[in-house]
Amino acid sequence: MSTKTKKQRRIYNAIVDISSINIEAGENYVNWITLTKQKLKERERKLLNIRISQIEHIVASQENITYKVSINFIQSVLNKTLFPFIDTWTGINPKRNKRAINTFRDMFVIGKNWWDTHKNKQIGSGFWVPIFKDIQEQLNSKITDGKKKFIRIIRALFNGTIKYPNTKKQALINCSIIMNDTDIQKYLLTLHKSLTISKWIIADKISNVGSNYIKYKQIGKVILN
């Protein structure tokens, strides 16, 4: 298959530029699949930098201290957790994909949707647990009574919001990350004995409530008060 890209409309203020892509799809879209992975990694790097900048701002605003995430930390999250998972994407599934793929944008949207449905499972243990630990370590090295101040920072992070390009303001820490990642659940339990999130999930299934908002409100009740 040697589908060529058509001229695509430019989206201003996009996280990554895909409108200028002008290469052939290649046999079974091999070129577009490879390029989609590259663009997903570029996009994730930029999103991560935006997220980290907001975390640094929130920490500084809470305790009036300088908190900086190291380049090594960022590279570790990207190269050991996020990028390897992006590389597992093999492209479209002909049995499941019903839409026509006429442009590179069509392929990129498929890859982006795949990644957006999977990355929360990676980002809990691969980013949030390490960032919490990094904040705690830096805090303890700079001030006394670090535990109380750290809880205040955690409270602010859970209450924080973030604005990515071309999106609405949203929660800094996604609710589904907390509910679906056992590593972050275990970590939260070390902060407060009442944060037995796994038990809440079981109880929720039994009661058939099915409301993430209610479960998230329970988490906030302990952390935010």
Side-chain angles (χ1 to χ4, degrees):
M1 182 175 295
S2 58
T3 304
K4 294 184 179 180
T5 56
K6 298 179 181 179
K7 188 175 182 180
Q8 303 178 66
R9 63 186 179 88
R10 179 178 293 275
I11 297 178
Y12 294 94
N13 200 32
I15 298 173
V16 293
D17 176 30
I18 61 173
S19 60
S20 60
I21 302 300
N22 188 28
I23 66 170
E24 294 186 352
E27 187 69 24
N28 295 321
Y29 304 103
V30 62
N31 296 335
W32 284 359
I33 291 170
T34 300
L35 190 55
T36 293
K37 292 179 183 180
Q38 293 174 7
K39 287 295 182 179
L40 287 175
K41 291 177 182 180
E42 179 186 345
R43 173 178 177 263
E44 200 56 41
R45 182 186 295 275
K46 291 181 178 180
L47 291 176
L48 185 66
N49 285 331
I50 294 170
R51 190 180 305 122
I52 285 174
S53 293
Q54 182 68 349
I55 291 169
E56 291 173 340
H57 171 73
I58 289 173
V59 174
S61 66
Q62 288 297 305
E63 297 302 332
N64 196 27
I65 62 171
T66 300
Y67 170 69
K68 293 295 292 183
V69 178
S70 70
I71 297 297
N72 288 339
F73 180 95
I74 295 171
Q75 291 300 108
S76 177
V77 170
L78 292 172
N79 296 328
K80 293 183 179 180
T81 302
L82 304 183
F83 287 177
F85 197 88
I86 289 174
D87 283 332
T88 66
W89 185 61
T90 57
I92 62 171
N93 184 336
K95 294 181 179 179
R96 298 181 63 181
N97 182 65
K98 304 300 181 183
R99 68 177 65 180
I101 304 176
N102 298 316
T103 66
F104 174 72
R105 183 183 299 279
D106 296 330
M107 178 63 75
F108 178 78
V109 169
I110 292 172
K112 173 184 166 300
N113 290 342
W114 169 85
W115 172 237
D116 286 345
T117 61
H118 286 82
K119 74 175 182 179
N120 280 348
K121 296 179 182 178
Q122 309 300 316
I123 208 169
S125 56
F127 174 75
W128 280 113
V129 171
I131 204 77
F132 288 156
K133 291 180 178 179
D134 187 63
I135 293 170
Q136 191 170 25
E137 288 175 5
Q138 290 197 39
L139 200 64
N140 289 337
S141 69
K142 295 178 179 179
I143 59 176
T144 58
D145 196 19
K147 187 172 183 180
K148 286 186 177 180
K149 291 179 172 61
F150 177 62
I151 292 296
R152 284 202 293 267
I153 289 172
I154 291 293
R155 177 196 309 148
L157 292 174
F158 271 87
N159 202 35
T161 59
I162 193 166
K163 175 73 168 63
Y164 298 109
N166 293 325
T167 67
K168 296 179 180 179
K169 186 181 290 187
Q170 56 190 271
L172 176 62
I173 304 178
N174 191 299
C175 170
S176 63
I177 294 173
I178 304 166
M179 304 317 302
N180 297 320
D181 192 295
T182 56
D183 286 337
I184 198 169
Q185 291 173 21
K186 290 175 183 176
Y187 178 77
L188 290 173
L189 189 57
T190 68
L191 300 181
H192 197 288
K193 63 182 180 179
S194 67
L195 286 172
T196 52
I197 300 172
S198 60
K199 291 183 179 180
W200 296 351
I201 295 172
I202 293 171
D204 179 71
K205 288 180 179 178
I206 293 173
S207 62
N208 202 27
V209 173
S211 171
N212 280 341
Y213 173 75
I214 292 173
K215 289 178 284 191
Y216 190 59
K217 194 173 182 181
Q218 287 178 295
I219 295 170
K221 198 169 185 179
V222 174
I223 294 179
L224 302 179
N225 293 311

